[in-house]
Amino acid sequence: MQDNCYKEAIHYYKPIVKKVGDDILSVTAIVLTNLCVSYIMTSQNPDKQELHLCIVNLVIYCAKQNFEFGISRIIRSLEPSGKKLEVDTWFYAKRCFLALVDSLAKQMMVLKDATYTGIDDFLDAADSQGKTVYTSVESPGEGQNSNTVSREARLLKRMFLKIRE
């Protein structure tokens, strides 16, 4: 991955991933990340969507329980939240945050204060930017409880605050 050698990285990492077949989570996170980034940087990612990198970061690190780094990548990849915060990215992001809350509640891990600060800042931004971003692709009807990213971000922040007590 050094010196923008993305094509060489693909040549190196692709056989490692192919070797495991369907058991992709047995591959280390750094191998998956480097391969995905190499595909993206050489415009070989499947959908060529701007949000593809966001979802790659969300899934790889949190599936591997590498929350400290994964959460920082999630936050960074969803910046600016006004452009990238939408139903799909929020769907995956909130699951990673909920998995982190679960691990913290079970006292399986401890986070640095700086990580908590980053989470708080991100959830505050999601709260302010997500007032009109609904958490379902279906449009809310009148009288229905319409969940927005803003509302769910506030709920997540409350969970993190409770855990720190």
Side-chain angles (χ1 to χ4, degrees), residues 7-156:
K7 289 183 181 181
E8 291 85 354
I10 291 170
H11 183 70
Y12 178 76
Y13 291 118
K14 189 176 180 179
I16 296 171
V17 174
K18 275 192 169 189
K19 185 177 180 181
V20 299
D22 290 338
D23 190 22
I24 197 161
L25 290 180
S26 69
V27 179
T28 62
I30 194 69
V31 169
L32 293 173
T33 302
N34 285 344
L35 183 59
C36 289
V37 168
S38 295
Y39 278 134
I40 290 165
M41 296 305 288
T42 58
S43 298
Q44 295 181 53
N45 54 318
D47 299 325
K48 297 186 181 180
Q49 296 177 2
E50 179 181 338
L51 300 175
H52 183 72
L53 181 57
C54 300
I55 294 171
V56 167
N57 283 320
L58 299 175
V59 174
I60 290 175
Y61 290 105
C62 293
K64 292 289 198 170
Q65 301 289 310
N66 189 353
F67 289 110
E68 194 85 44
F69 184 70
I71 291 296
S72 71
R73 295 306 311 151
I74 291 167
I75 291 169
R76 190 160 217 209
S77 65
L78 289 175
E79 291 174 346
S81 56
K83 278 187 165 184
K84 295 184 180 179
L85 198 59
E86 61 176 40
V87 67
D88 292 326
T89 55
W90 182 251
F91 176 83
Y92 291 104
K94 74 180 173 186
R95 275 151 182 74
C96 293
F97 282 106
L98 287 169
L100 175 58
V101 166
D102 184 55
S103 290
L104 291 168
K106 292 176 182 174
Q107 298 180 346
M108 295 170 58
M109 63 181 305
V110 177
L111 292 180
K112 298 175 188 166
D113 289 341
T115 303
Y116 278 116
T117 301
I119 291 169
D120 288 345
D121 292 345
F122 171 76
L123 292 174
D124 287 342
D127 179 14
S128 73
Q129 296 292 321
K131 293 183 186 331
T132 60
V133 180
Y134 293 97
T135 57
S136 171
V137 290
E138 300 170 4
S139 21
E142 288 186 37
Q144 288 183 339
N145 179 13
S146 51
N147 285 335
T148 62
V149 168
S150 180
R151 180 176 181 275
E152 290 185 1
R154 287 192 307 273
L155 290 171
L156 278 171

Side-chain angles (χ1 to χ4, degrees), residues 116 120 156-165:
Y116 278 116
D120 288 345
L156 278 171
K157 186 170 181 178
R158 193 175 323 153
M159 288 180 205
F160 280 105
L161 291 172
K162 279 275 203 201
I163 285 175
R164 280 184 268 185
E165 289 179 350

